[in-house]
Amino acid sequence: MTMSIVPVDANGIDNIASGLTGFSDAAEDQLQQSMMTSLFIAGASQATKGRAAYLLLDDGSRMWVPNTLRCWLVDLKIVTQTYESFDPTDKLLIRVTASDGTSYIYRCGLNSWTASSFLTNFKYLTRHQLADQVSITLVPKGRATFVQVEYCEQGAFHRVQIPESEFTGEKLTYDSCLDIISYVNGTSQDNDGSPVVEAQVSAEEEPFEVPVEELDELLEDIRTPTRKRRKSAATAVEVPIA
């Protein structure tokens, strides 16, 4: 890295050094590492040979990567990216670990077809499938990029089956995104009616029946008042005083 000097006042007395040999800036290193491992999803073109995601290198150039990655899901989260001249934008970050141990972060707009496609696929994975290796394939269609997810079972990959009812032509709402993210991260608090949870919960035992005769006796005992037991009078004992 080439050293650069950035003045911080009009007189040039105070300056900030960047790229000075032997010195390191943890914030810059972390940002650089994050940018180099972030998979930015963009529309594919002939110039990219149909590839829809790229890594941003430290010199600002783009390295377009293949559309399919076999990996393990780590976590999902939403971050708000701010700009100087534009309104803030919510981004969906999907952290994964590739089969060689390298960590990557898929990055796309939360209000995008890509994010809705990602989350809809994850919605129909069981917890066991989410914990195992998956295959993520980016599928460019026009200006949009969709996602195809496959789960691993018995040594083979199988495509996630999404019900036709999900194909409404609309993107997921913000609340739906949060619900799916919570489910994937294993922190869902409201599992009522979830088919995944229902499959793991044992069936409720049938209530037992009480014979009519026993029930009548029980009711009779409740209605009949119980006599209070009197305390017997204590007998006084005189103790002779020596």
Side-chain angles (χ1 to χ4, degrees):
M1 182 180 295
T2 305
M3 186 189 73
S4 62
I5 300 176
V6 181
V8 294
D9 65 64
N11 298 323
I13 297 177
D14 294 318
N15 301 274
I16 297 293
S18 179
L20 189 61
T21 303
F23 290 88
S24 63
D25 188 323
E28 288 186 0
D29 294 342
Q30 184 177 3
L31 177 60
Q32 181 179 350
Q33 183 67 21
S34 174
M35 297 298 285
M36 292 181 64
T37 58
S38 292
L39 291 167
F40 295 90
I41 301 176
S45 64
Q46 292 183 352
T48 64
K49 296 184 178 180
R51 297 185 175 187
Y54 63 87
L55 294 169
L56 191 62
L57 303 182
D58 56 354
D59 60 356
S61 61
R62 300 178 180 181
M63 183 172 66
W64 295 85
V65 298
N67 288 336
T68 299
L69 175 66
R70 290 187 177 181
C71 57
W72 285 267
L73 293 173
V74 179
D75 58 33
L76 284 66
K77 66 179 179 180
I78 298 173
V79 298
T80 301
Q81 184 171 341
T82 57
Y83 304 91
E84 293 183 359
S85 304
F86 303 96
D87 294 333
T89 304
D90 289 331
K91 300 289 184 180
L92 174 65
L93 304 186
I94 303 171
R95 189 155 59 104
V96 300
T97 300
S99 55
D100 64 349
T102 306
S103 295
Y104 295 103
I105 300 176
Y106 282 100
R107 187 183 185 96
C108 61
L110 183 64
N111 187 31
S112 67
W113 287 111
T114 305
S116 292
S117 185
F118 261 120
L119 296 176
T120 302
N121 275 272
F122 294 156
K123 177 181 178 180
Y124 289 96
L125 287 173
T126 65
R127 293 193 183 279
H128 176 74
Q129 293 166 349
L130 286 168
D132 206 342
Q133 192 178 27
V134 297
S135 176
I136 296 175
T137 300
L138 302 180
V139 183
K141 290 186 178 180
R143 299 180 62 182
T145 300
F146 295 87
V147 181
Q148 176 182 312
V149 177
E150 297 180 350
Y151 60 91
C152 185
E153 190 173 277
Q154 297 180 351
F157 283 90
H158 308 273
R159 186 173 179 177
V160 176
Q161 298 300 316
I162 301 175
E164 293 185 1
S165 58
E166 290 287 352
F167 300 99
T168 61
E170 297 180 355
K171 301 172 186 176
L172 293 176
T173 63
Y174 187 85
D175 290 340
S176 297
C177 292
L178 290 180
D179 291 340
I180 297 173
I181 291 173
S182 296
Y183 167 65
V184 174
N185 290 343
T187 57
S188 179
Q189 300 298 319
D190 185 8
N191 290 321
D192 187 24
S194 171
V196 178
V197 176
E198 288 180 358
Q200 299 175 357
V201 177
S202 58
E204 185 179 358
E205 297 182 358
E206 296 183 359
F208 63 91
E209 295 184 358
V210 180
V212 178
E213 295 79 6
E214 295 184 12
L215 185 59
D216 291 340
E217 293 179 2
L218 180 60
L219 292 175
E220 184 64 26
D221 291 341
I222 295 174
R223 295 192 188 100
T224 304
T226 304
R227 291 183 177 179
K228 293 183 179 180
R229 184 177 179 182
R230 293 183 177 180
K231 295 183 180 180
S232 57
T235 303
V237 179
E238 295 183 0
V239 180
I241 300 175

